[in-house]
Amino acid sequence: MAFTAFSTPTSTAAEPAVRKRSWIALVLLLPGILYLLLFFIAPLISLIFTSFQQPVIDGDIGQYSAGFQWQNYTDAVGQYLPLIFRAFGYAILATVFALVISYPMAYFIGVKMRRWPLAQSLLLTLVIAPFFISFLLRTLAWKQIFSDEGPVVPVLKALSVLPTDGHITGTPFAVVFGLTYNFIPFMTLPLYAVLERMDVRYIEAGADLYASPWTTFRKVTIPLSMPGIVSGTLLTFIPAAGDYINASNDFLGSSQTSMVGNAIEANFLVLQNYPIAAALSIVLMAVILIIVGIYVRRAGTEDLI
């Protein structure tokens, strides 16, 4: 007895439905793809081409032509290498300080305050509240507080913490403080999002197994909150490394605390040396990508990138 193979009506009818869903998904993705092409890929390509431009012979300042001048990168790194190291040093310090401050705060709001949802919401609002004020205004306010005529410096001098001719503004302390303060919400919110969903029965199980609070925290809480730690450190470190506001002479910094972001700003807006500024931007982005890739791989959370 012979059997003839044939396709069922159900499978035949399902194929147009699958193709229709694929077209719908593509249409929904199209605005996001266009956004990335216009506002990320195109500027990045333009920045790369700019970094290889060469000056126009006998041209005015700021006039450059297309070229392939690798020397722009060697000149940029050779001239501004101390600022690159300083930027990453300040960013690492600010990230560590933000983590030390934010973790207890996020743990208190996300775990200890679960019984009181209204108080939890109020505390979370206070964490987000700095976003309601301009980044520039917040940094300028700290400049006024830390100025020689402000309320902090005279008290520290009276307590002999600062010398009589000492200052706070224009020092590495002021720049790192400004970075830490401005990026604390970026650290706190990812930590809170993870800790708020953490099952506290794991902590109770650690206590039932006669583990000390420190051991439970180190062996249970920290591993469970590692996605929040990695996300928070990335959201803090990346913008802090490229920041040029806090280290600016007009805010908390000075010429002795300039970061690579200040060099990029000066070359773009003041010196009009666009190839050097573009080369510095590419170098900064490349170094950040390398550091972030190594950090995420070592943390075991590759799915975050």
Side-chain angles (χ1 to χ4, degrees):
M1 187 178 199
F3 294 93
T4 304
F6 60 93
S7 60
T8 62
T10 304
S11 61
T12 304
E15 292 178 0
V18 172
R19 287 197 295 268
K20 182 179 180 180
R21 286 197 296 267
S22 300
W23 278 105
I24 292 175
L26 182 60
V27 170
L28 293 176
L29 288 173
L30 189 59
I33 295 174
L34 291 176
Y35 179 88
L36 289 176
L37 290 174
L38 291 175
F39 298 103
F40 180 74
I41 302 298
L44 180 60
I45 294 174
S46 175
L47 193 67
I48 293 173
F49 281 125
T50 303
S51 68
F52 289 110
Q53 288 181 347
Q54 55 191 8
V56 175
I57 300 176
D58 298 331
D60 296 333
I61 297 176
Q63 288 188 343
Y64 298 91
S65 62
F68 197 74
Q69 191 163 323
W70 276 100
Q71 189 179 354
N72 293 335
Y73 283 88
T74 57
D75 292 344
V77 174
Q79 184 177 356
Y80 296 107
L81 186 61
L83 275 65
I84 295 174
F85 281 117
R86 186 180 299 147
F88 285 108
Y90 287 170
I92 291 172
L93 288 175
T95 302
V96 172
F97 291 146
L99 178 61
V100 171
I101 296 171
S102 298
Y103 199 101
M105 185 163 51
Y107 184 87
F108 178 77
I109 299 174
V111 178
K112 297 299 183 180
M113 298 300 293
R114 289 184 185 179
R115 299 179 181 178
W116 301 280
L118 291 178
Q120 187 182 42
S121 300
L122 176 61
L123 292 174
L124 190 61
T125 302
L126 293 177
V127 173
I128 305 174
F131 284 117
F132 301 155
I133 305 174
S134 169
F135 185 96
L136 297 178
L137 291 179
R138 283 183 276 135
T139 309
L140 190 61
W142 280 111
K143 179 183 178 180
Q144 298 300 322
I145 294 173
F146 286 148
S147 66
D148 295 344
E149 299 79 17
V152 177
V153 172
V155 173
L156 295 179
K157 289 182 178 179
L159 296 175
S160 299
V161 177
L162 276 179
T164 55
D165 59 344
H167 309 279
I168 294 181
T169 56
T171 63
F173 167 81
V175 175
V176 174
F177 178 90
L179 292 172
T180 304
Y181 164 76
N182 281 305
F183 292 112
I184 274 182
F186 292 93
M187 180 71 74
T188 305
L189 293 178
L191 287 170
Y192 166 80
V194 173
L195 291 170
E196 199 274 335
R197 297 194 304 266
M198 185 180 66
D199 193 343
V200 295
R201 290 178 295 182
Y202 289 114
I203 302 176
E204 297 171 355
D208 293 340
L209 294 173
Y210 303 103
S212 64
W214 167 246
T215 301
T216 303
F217 176 75
R218 184 167 54 90
K219 296 289 188 179
V220 178
T221 307
I222 289 183
L224 290 176
S225 61
M226 187 57 67
I229 293 175
V230 174
S231 299
T233 51
L234 293 181
L235 290 175
T236 302
F237 173 78
I238 293 174
D243 181 80
Y244 64 94
I245 298 298
N246 292 277
S248 172
N249 295 339
D250 298 327
F251 291 91
L252 298 175
S254 66
S255 59
Q256 303 301 317
T257 62
S258 295
M259 300 166 60
V260 66
N262 301 106
I264 295 173
E265 177 201 20
N267 279 280
F268 260 125
L269 302 181
V270 180
L271 303 176
Q272 298 183 18
N273 195 342
Y274 306 123
I276 295 295
L280 279 174
S281 301
I282 297 297
V283 169
L284 177 64
M285 181 176 61
V287 174
I288 288 177
L289 286 175
I290 293 172
I291 293 176
V292 167
I294 295 174
Y295 171 68
V296 171
R297 184 171 296 275
R298 291 293 299 274
T301 51
E302 293 88 344
D303 56 325
L304 293 177
I305 58 175

